[in-house]
């Protein structure tokens, strides 16, 4: 578990350096902005990607299956993550497949 969170933190730092900011408007809790960012950074698909990155060989595609719709913050983040790590990330949500590669999603946003 510690390795997954360490990888996620590494991704968060790289995303921050790239100018990414979580869309805290999506968090409906009445909490401070920093806590909202923390909640968004720990969505299940981001944790799954961090796990996939540490448990699969470099260059192999990651396949994530989600039983809910991917939120817009995660969608934007995964586009950036695919560019940062240089890997194809395929996410199946309740409505469709999303193929993220080099910062672009197949759904056309």
């Amino acid at each position: 578990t510690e390795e997954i969170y360490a990888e996620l933190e590494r991704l968060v730092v790289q995303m921050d350096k790239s100018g990414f900011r979580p869309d805290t408007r999506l968090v409906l809790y009445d909490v401070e902005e920093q806590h909202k960012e923390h909640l968004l950074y720990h969505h299940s698909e981001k944790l799954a990607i961090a796990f996939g990155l540490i448990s699969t060989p470099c260059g192999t595609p990651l396949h994530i299956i989600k039983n809910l719709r991917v939120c817009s913050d995660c969608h934007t983040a995964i586009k950036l993550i695919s560019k940062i790590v240089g890997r194809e990330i395929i996410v199946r949500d309740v409505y469709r497949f999303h193929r993220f590669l080099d910062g672009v999603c197949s759904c056309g946003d």
Side-chain angles (χ1 to χ4, degrees), residues 1 5-6 8 39 46-47 52 59 67 73-75 79 95 98:
T1 304
Y5 284 100
L8 182 59
L39 291 171
K46 292 173 186 153
L47 288 167
N67 64 345
D73 181 74
C74 286
H75 192 273
K79 287 194 301 186
Y95 292 112
H98 298 266

Side-chain angles (χ1 to χ4, degrees), residues 33-76:
E33 285 296 306
Q34 188 175 13
H35 187 65
K36 288 180 180 183
E37 289 181 8
H38 176 80
L39 291 171
L40 288 168
Y41 277 129
H42 290 84
H43 274 185
S44 62
E45 49 269 68
K46 292 173 186 153
L47 288 167
I49 290 168
F51 175 74
L53 290 173
I54 63 173
S55 61
T56 59
C58 289
T60 58
L62 298 179
H63 295 263
I64 309 295
I65 298 172
K66 178 135 174 97
N67 64 345
L68 301 170
R69 190 167 184 188
V70 175
C71 78
S72 61
D73 181 74
C74 286
H75 192 273
T76 303

